[in-house]
């Protein structure tokens, strides 16, 4: 499972990969595991968008991570995410699961 997070100010984010022990996606499709780190500043990837590729951490194995889900999503199976991968977006204050598909 590919787990990508664009919320670079999160304490669990390591180069666009979530390093939390577990992830909880709430009923409003927001990552409840998100913890803001005041020492992390969002990188300005638009400055050198076509000059330098952003650095990504290696992909995590889904066996090492449990993803709980409370959303009314197609991939929610008895409270666990069964998607092939999830991506969390950095729009607004909270990270939203953009892999969400309504049942």
């Amino acid at each position: 499972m590919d787990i990508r997070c664009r919320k670079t100010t999160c304490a669990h984010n390591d180069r666009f990969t979530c390093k939390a022990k577990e992830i909880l996606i709430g009923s409003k499709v927001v990552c409840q595991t998100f913890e803001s780190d005041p020492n992390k500043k969002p990188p300005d990837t638009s400055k050198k968008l076509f000059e330098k590729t952003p650095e990504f951490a290696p992909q995590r194995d889904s066996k090492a991570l449990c993803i709980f889900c409370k959303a009314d999503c197609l991939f929610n199976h008895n409270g666990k995410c069964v998607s092939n991968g999830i991506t969390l977006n950095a729009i607004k204050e909270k990270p939203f699961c953009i892999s969400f598909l309504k049942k």
Side-chain angles (χ1 to χ4, degrees):
M1 176 182 282
D2 188 22
I3 302 157
R4 294 290 172 201
C5 181
R6 296 179 185 157
K7 194 69 171 174
T8 55
T9 58
C10 181
H12 305 293
N13 191 314
D14 176 22
R15 296 169 291 160
F16 301 99
T17 299
C18 182
K19 297 295 184 178
K21 291 182 181 177
E22 62 185 34
I23 296 173
L24 171 61
I25 304 297
S27 59
K28 295 188 179 186
V29 196
V30 174
C31 180
Q32 302 296 309
T33 311
F34 170 73
E35 290 180 32
S36 183
D37 185 346
N39 297 325
K40 286 188 174 182
K41 295 187 178 165
D44 187 2
T45 54
S46 64
K47 274 186 179 179
K48 298 181 180 181
L49 183 64
F50 298 107
E51 296 175 19
K52 185 178 176 187
T53 305
E55 193 176 323
F56 293 96
Q59 177 177 313
R60 287 188 71 189
D61 186 5
S62 62
K63 292 175 185 174
L65 176 68
C66 196
I67 302 172
F68 299 102
C69 183
K70 294 182 180 179
D72 187 24
C73 179
L74 182 66
F75 302 116
N76 183 346
H77 184 70
N78 296 327
K80 291 197 176 184
C81 180
V82 294
S83 173
N84 286 337
I86 66 169
T87 300
L88 301 172
N89 208 355
I91 297 175
K92 299 186 182 182
E93 298 278 327
K94 301 283 183 178
F96 288 87
C97 179
I98 59 174
S99 305
F100 169 78
L101 290 173
K102 188 159 176 67
K103 278 186 184 178

